[in-house]
Amino acid sequence: MKDVAAAAGVSLGTVSNVLNRPAVVSAATRERVERAMAELGFVRNESARQLRAGTSRALAYVMLDGGNPFFHDVAEGIETAAEDADLSLFVCNSSGRTEREAKHLDRLLQQRVQGILITPVDPDAPHLADLAQRGLPFVMVDRFSRAGGHCSVAVDDVLGGRIAVEHLIDRGHRRVAFVGGPASIGQVRERLQGARAVWAEFGMPEEDLIHLPTEALTVNEGRSAGERLAGLPSRRRPTAAFCANDLLALGLLQHAVTAGLRVPDDLAIVGFDDIDFAAAAAVPLTSVRQPRQELGRTAARLVLDEATNPGHVHEQATFVPALVARASTGTVRR
Amino acid sequence: MKDVAAAAGVSLGTVSNVLNRPAVVSAATRERVERAMAELGFVRNESARQLRAGTSRALAYVMLDGGNPFFHDVAEGIETAAEDADLSLFVCNSSGRTEREAKHLDRLLQQRVQGILITPVDPDAPHLADLAQRGLPFVMVDRFSRAGGHCSVAVDDVLGGRIAVEHLIDRGHRRVAFVGGPASIGQVRERLQGARAVWAEFGMPEEDLIHLPTEALTVNEGRSAGERLAGLPSRRRPTAAFCANDLLALGLLQHAVTAGLRVPDDLAIVGFDDIDFAAAAAVPLTSVRQPRQELGRTAARLVLDEATNPGHVHEQATFVPALVARASTGTVRR
DNA sequence: GGGTGGGATTGAAATGTTTCAACTATCCTG
DNA sequence: CAGGATAGTTGAAACATTTCAATCCCACCC
């Protein structure tokens, strides 16, 4: 800026005015300054601006699993909202590892981001409580914590579980597997809880809703669950599976097809999230849709409100999931 | 830092020493300062550090399509390398839109990142030339530009096209479709070029390698290509398709299966990239593998070399793609 | 007791912006 | 023509850190 000022024959303050309050400087000077900037290839130094401002013009989203398209879609939603507010978005990926998450948060704190959106590995981890108590605006995405003291955005997972299993009962299934784990993930617990609730309401025997636990919510784990499922004695073998997310469902689907099972006739499958690959699977996957972009946009809205509005009150936004029925549960069982 | 210094009864300089050269300060003072930092919840201000240092401790990757898992894997590779060098990585997504890419680059320039890795929308866009001429280290990932003046990292796409089509010829196919577009994407052109080269070398008639153009490299476009393919008169209809990437291949696969075609018997399919979903498809997809993480790691290595080593010379790293044969091309045609 | 060496600490400058009170020049009004 | 309003411009302070030359203090040696 000093060089620009010299080149244009004006003071530093004027250059700053051109940048920040163009209206107050005369057209002629403005033009001269702008030409000087172009000639010198001037680029504003963001760190100096930040230092002066005390905060960076950025939000951050720390996502749980970059390999899961679901989170990518959430990030898209956040990004559109951030763009509207003229903020940058830093996207970080904890890959499900607590220490990586902590490292990212640490860095973001040092960057003085305006707010943090996070889908945490563990919603009750102490480093999250630190954040809140530091007064940094933050919003939990797709998770709740017992603690409170912050906003959160998620769908009603219990309801999602109910919808999925009710759909299967509707289709005539009387023995159903719930595929998902580990139980440390709140989502998994709640989806299972919803599943069990409808199951009981329809008067089905408890032991006919079989829980096949997995170690993670990945395609690989879905395949391995498929193997275990195939290994069950045929009179105990479920005719349908409700998977805690679409990656599991895709893995299970793949195993089923390779093993020569017909989907949905031999095995019906319901996933969760409704990622784009679900519709694109060779047997298009019935899934419980979450409003992914909407989730992201709302989260961004909340964090911005917390950052700018002194009268902000924390809010737990809950969205309603919806069943998207496709071929993988297509036929009614006799 | 001022507060910390006051609390610990030392000068600013000493606090800085504790942070940056702990060895020079006596154990007792260090301990006192560290306690003060903990008590006050001190967090280093990154913008001030940057302002002083003149550059941020970060790299950036601007990817072309966040919805394509391929780029996510590349980003993972970059991130591991960045972590080793103790740098942050900013991941941005241009979503294939030039103006968004330009906006991201502009921001990154303002942030004074140490280097930029980019899979550009158009490798010859003027704003990329600007970068190079500004002296900012940057590396093109998965793309080449005619211009030179920078490093790049990619696989040999012509060879990839050769491998794919040779595999199909091997399997007995005599009429093959190439699915991909738009031609503005260098990758697409080169993969097609490789395909045509082997096709000619094996003495096949040119008109039996049919180009089905697409508007983008997405699952949806793959499906629509499937419709066009099914619409061909049966004596012109190919028995196999080589798709410019896996998303197209998955879309095509889905359409084929829904339309009642058997894969690979009625239609064999080869994709490109070997993303995780390829193996997980209901008919596991034969694909040309790119070393995705390796690509990212190498790109990061190159940009760091350019940033730190004054004797740096630009390098065009080329990797060799490999065929991963799976069920979608499983049987030899009579 | 004076001098030396070295470890520990300090103070000041520098980094590139933004902001705001103060200043100048110009024009208008009575 | 004095006085005041207005538009445009300026200068200095502040932001939080790092660096480095300078200083201080102490132990040790002759």
Side-chain angles (χ1 to χ4, degrees), chain B residues 1 16 20 45 49 52:
Chain B
M1 269 176 64
S16 175
N20 301 303
N45 183 320
R49 300 187 73 189
R52 179 65 229 241

Side-chain angles (χ1 to χ4, degrees), chain A residues 27-241:
Chain A
T29 336
R30 190 178 341 134
E31 224 258 324
R32 208 144 31 92
V33 171
E34 271 161 0
R35 199 165 37 231
M37 295 202 291
E39 265 164 26
L40 296 175
F42 168 76
V43 177
R44 246 159 142 158
N45 184 319
E46 180 65 24
S47 7
R49 300 186 72 189
Q50 275 180 34
L51 175 58
R52 180 61 228 241
T55 169
S56 78
R57 314 195 35 72
L59 295 179
Y61 177 42
V62 183
M63 62 183 165
L64 184 63
D65 174 12
N68 186 343
F70 171 77
F71 293 109
H72 172 258
D73 292 341
V74 173
E76 280 280 304
I78 298 172
E79 176 128 32
T80 58
E83 227 163 60
D84 290 347
D86 199 32
L87 294 173
S88 309
L89 177 69
F90 296 150
V91 180
C92 310
N93 178 12
S94 68
S95 301
R97 302 214 302 271
T98 309
E99 76 280 7
R100 228 173 130 177
E101 178 178 293
K103 203 167 175 180
H104 280 307
L105 289 179
D106 203 51
R107 271 209 253 263
L108 294 171
L109 229 45
Q110 297 187 192
Q111 306 258 10
R112 303 289 193 270
V113 292
Q114 302 221 343
I116 292 185
L117 304 153
I118 183 169
T119 305
V121 180
D122 168 13
D124 298 304
H127 58 256
L128 293 184
D130 283 4
L131 277 194
Q133 169 228 333
R134 264 219 160 70
L136 183 68
F138 93 108
V139 172
M140 252 185 222
V141 179
D142 205 40
R143 290 278 186 286
F144 290 109
S145 93
R146 267 173 282 279
H150 54 81
C151 293
S152 56
V153 171
V155 301
D156 184 338
D157 283 297
V158 178
L159 177 57
R162 299 181 63 100
I163 292 174
V165 169
E166 184 164 355
H167 173 70
L168 290 174
I169 294 174
D170 250 27
R171 287 285 198 265
H173 295 278
R174 295 296 173 259
R175 216 174 310 112
V176 167
F178 174 80
V179 178
S184 60
I185 300 180
Q187 254 68 3
V188 174
R189 283 198 309 272
E190 292 179 4
R191 289 167 195 177
L192 175 55
Q193 180 191 331
R196 283 190 173 138
V198 260
W199 195 252
E201 280 166 27
F202 275 82
M204 315 286 235
E206 205 180 317
E207 69 273 16
D208 286 346
L209 182 65
I210 298 158
H211 182 190
L212 285 179
T214 61
E215 315 239 309
L217 301 173
T218 61
V219 174
N220 258 329
E221 282 291 309
R223 268 192 292 249
S224 101
E227 279 162 31
R228 270 174 294 148
L229 194 140
L232 291 175
S234 68
R235 31 165 214 83
R236 289 236 334 128
R237 193 177 314 139
T239 59

Side-chain angles (χ1 to χ4, degrees), chain B residues 20-196:
Chain B
N20 301 303
R21 288 176 236 63
V24 317
V25 6
S26 74
T29 334
R30 189 179 341 137
E31 225 260 324
R32 210 145 28 93
V33 171
E34 273 161 358
R35 198 163 41 229
M37 295 202 292
E39 265 164 25
L40 296 175
F42 167 76
V43 177
R44 248 159 139 156
N45 183 320
E46 181 64 24
S47 10
R49 300 187 73 189
Q50 275 180 35
L51 174 57
R52 179 65 229 241
T55 169
S56 79
R57 315 194 36 69
L59 294 179
Y61 177 41
V62 183
M63 60 182 166
L64 184 63
D65 173 12
N68 186 343
F70 171 77
F71 293 108
H72 172 257
D73 292 340
V74 173
E76 280 279 304
I78 298 173
E79 176 128 31
T80 57
E83 226 165 60
D84 290 347
D86 199 31
L87 294 173
S88 309
L89 177 68
F90 296 150
V91 180
C92 309
N93 179 13
S94 68
S95 303
R97 302 214 302 271
T98 309
E99 75 282 5
R100 226 172 131 176
E101 178 179 294
K103 201 165 175 183
H104 279 308
L105 288 178
D106 203 52
R107 269 209 256 263
L108 294 170
L109 229 44
Q110 297 187 192
Q111 306 260 7
R112 302 288 193 270
V113 292
Q114 303 221 340
I116 292 185
L117 304 154
I118 183 168
T119 305
V121 180
D122 168 14
D124 297 304
H127 58 256
L128 292 184
D130 283 4
L131 277 193
Q133 169 226 335
R134 265 219 159 69
L136 183 69
F138 92 109
V139 173
M140 252 185 222
V141 179
D142 205 41
R143 289 279 186 288
F144 290 109
S145 94
R146 269 174 281 278
H150 54 82
C151 294
S152 57
V153 172
V155 300
D156 184 338
D157 283 296
V158 178
L159 178 57
R162 299 182 63 99
I163 292 174
V165 169
E166 185 165 355
H167 173 70
L168 290 174
I169 296 175
D170 250 26
R171 286 285 198 266
H173 295 278
R174 295 296 173 260
R175 215 174 309 111
V176 168
F178 174 80
V179 179
S184 60
I185 300 179
Q187 254 70 4
V188 174
R189 284 197 308 270
E190 292 180 3
R191 289 168 195 176
L192 175 54
Q193 179 190 333
R196 283 188 173 140

